[in-house]
């Protein structure tokens, strides 16, 4: 069953990247997946550090937001 309303065009990104040379200039030839660039240990350390930093940041922002909302209720 095919309908004109339900037809979609499939875009193959690998073919698109091969046909457009600016892609290589922007991202370089070594812009493959992270798995190919770094070892497993490096990926685990990078993930752990970035996760810790995100948790610390959200903790501080969450406390500030809770204080602002609570202070707003007290002022009301």
């Amino acid at each position: 069953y095919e309908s004109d309303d339900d037809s979609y065009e499939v875009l193959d990104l690998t073919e698109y990247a091969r046909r457009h040379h600016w892609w290589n200039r922007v991202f370089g030839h070594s812009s493959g997946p992270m798995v190919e660039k770094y070892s497993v240990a490096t990926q685990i350390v990078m993930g752990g550090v970035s996760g810790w930093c995100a948790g610390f940041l959200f903790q501080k922002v969450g406390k500030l937001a809770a204080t602002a909302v609570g202070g707003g209720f007290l002022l009301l």
Side-chain angles (χ1 to χ4, degrees), residues 2-76:
E2 288 187 23
S3 169
D4 290 335
D5 296 334
D6 294 335
S7 62
Y8 299 99
E9 180 182 352
V10 176
L11 178 63
D12 185 11
L13 291 178
T14 56
E15 286 298 321
Y16 180 82
R18 280 190 206 117
R19 283 185 279 134
H20 295 84
H21 298 290
W22 62 270
W23 185 270
N24 284 335
R25 277 187 264 143
V26 172
F27 295 106
H29 295 287
S30 63
S31 63
M34 294 291 282
V35 176
E36 296 174 0
K37 291 183 183 180
Y38 300 105
S39 69
V40 174
T42 305
Q43 291 181 44
I44 290 172
V45 169
M46 288 172 58
V49 169
S50 61
W52 184 86
C53 290
F56 183 78
L57 179 68
F58 281 121
Q59 179 186 12
K60 296 297 180 184
V61 170
K63 282 183 182 179
L64 181 65
T67 303
V69 170
F73 281 133
L74 285 176
L75 289 175
L76 285 174

